[in-house]
Amino acid sequence: DGGITQSPKYLFRKEGQNVTLSCEQNLNHDAMYWYRQDPGQGLRLIYYSQIVNDFQKGDIAEGYSVSREKKESFPLTVTSAQKNPTAFYLCASSPPAKGSNQPQHFGDGTRLSIL
Amino acid sequence: GQSLEQPSEVTAVEGAIVQINCTYQTSGFYGLSWYQQHDGGAPTFLSYNGLDGLEETGRFSSFLSRSDSYGYLLLQELQMKDSASYFCAVQHAGKSTFGDGTTLTVKP
C-alpha cells in the first residue's frame, strides 16, 4: 500500500545532541513537508520541498535542517540549536501544489522528547 | 503573513449537526482545506474548496466565500467517532498554513 512512513515513533534527545527524523513516501509525490505540533495547537511549517534537491524554510525553520536528495525521502534534523524541541513532528506529502486541490497525506508522526 | 481563526472547542450531541467556522487573512489564496485529527494520530484530509460554494462528501460538507475570507465545515448526523480536532488550512504559494484547530466533543 502507498503511504508515508515516519520513524522512529518515539525519540529522545540529550542536551547538545542532533537527532534525525526519517520520512519516506512511496506515493510518487513531488512535494514534501515537515510540521511541528505542540499540545493543543495547530501545525506549524518547519521546511518544505516542492522538488528533489530544493527546499524552502517554513515559519519556524530555526534550529532545524533538511535534505531532499531523493524524491522518496525528506529527513529532518533537529539540531542542538533548537532549544525547545519537545513536540510531535509530522511529515506530509502531496502532488505539486500548483493552485488546485492537492491534499496532503500525513505520516503517523514522531514524538520527540528531551532527556 | 497568513492567519486563520477557528473556535477552540465545540460540543454537540450524537445525531446533531455542527458547523465549524474558519476565517482567514492571506495573500495568494488558492483554496481552503479541512483536516481531521484524532487524539495522538495523524491528520487526514476531509474536504477542499477552491471556488465559492458548497462541497459535499457524505456526512461532511464544506463551504467557502472568498469575498468574505470565510469558510465552514458542516458535520451532519454526528457520531461518537467524530470526536476529534478539526483544522482549516489555507493553500497558498505551494504550501499550507493551518489554523489552531477546533476540538469537537460528541456526547451521547
Side-chain angles (χ1 to χ4, degrees):
Chain A
D1 286 353
I4 300 179
T5 301
Q6 288 188 243
S7 62
K9 191 174 180 68
Y10 298 95
L11 187 59
F12 298 91
R13 196 192 86 171
K14 295 179 182 179
E15 292 287 341
Q17 185 183 43
N18 293 353
V19 292
T20 297
L21 284 60
S22 171
C23 178
E24 303 278 333
Q25 56 101 356
N26 60 4
L27 298 167
N28 199 33
H29 285 167
D30 287 307
M32 297 187 75
Y33 313 82
W34 273 106
Y35 295 93
R36 169 180 172 141
Q37 187 175 33
D38 292 285
Q41 297 190 25
L43 283 66
R44 292 186 290 167
L45 184 64
I46 305 172
Y47 269 97
Y48 63 107
S49 167
Q50 294 295 327
I51 197 168
V52 175
N53 292 322
D54 189 40
F55 50 82
Q56 288 77 40
K57 292 182 179 180
D59 300 317
I60 56 164
E62 186 175 348
Y64 301 96
S65 66
V66 293
S67 63
R68 186 83 189 279
E69 297 176 0
K70 297 187 301 182
K71 186 175 184 177
E72 303 79 23
S73 178
F74 191 40
L76 173 74
T77 296
V78 184
T79 75
S80 57
Q82 173 49 247
K83 298 306 180 187
N84 183 23
T86 298
F88 187 42
Y89 291 86
L90 287 158
C91 178
S93 72
S94 73
K98 295 179 179 176
S100 60
N101 178 18
Q102 301 295 1
Q104 294 186 15
H105 299 255
F106 286 83
D108 289 335
T110 293
R111 292 195 181 278
L112 176 62
S113 301
I114 290 278
L115 277 179
Chain B
Q2 328 295 328
S3 69
L4 296 92
E5 287 191 17
Q6 51 182 128
S8 59
E9 295 179 350
V10 173
T11 301
V13 296
E14 228 176 341
I17 299 172
V18 71
Q19 178 174 314
I20 299 174
N21 298 322
C22 175
T23 58
Y24 60 87
Q25 289 185 316
T26 184
S27 57
F29 176 85
Y30 285 146
L32 188 71
S33 300
W34 290 91
Y35 291 80
Q36 178 192 61
Q37 184 182 32
H38 285 98
D39 197 29
T44 56
F45 171 79
L46 290 177
S47 186
Y48 172 83
N49 295 78
L51 300 173
D52 286 1
L54 192 68
E55 293 286 338
E56 297 181 79
T57 309
R59 294 187 297 115
F60 295 173
S61 303
S62 59
F63 172 82
L64 176 67
S65 168
R66 295 173 72 116
S67 59
D68 295 324
S69 297
Y70 164 76
Y72 66 72
L73 179 69
L74 191 73
L75 298 86
Q76 304 181 72
E77 301 173 16
L78 281 174
Q79 302 174 9
M80 297 298 290
K81 68 178 182 179
D82 296 329
S83 291
S85 292
Y86 293 84
F87 296 90
C88 58
V90 168
Q91 274 186 225
H92 59 97
K95 57 183 179 178
S96 292
T97 297
F98 285 76
D100 285 340
T102 298
T103 300
L104 170 64
T105 302
V106 180
K107 296 187 174 181

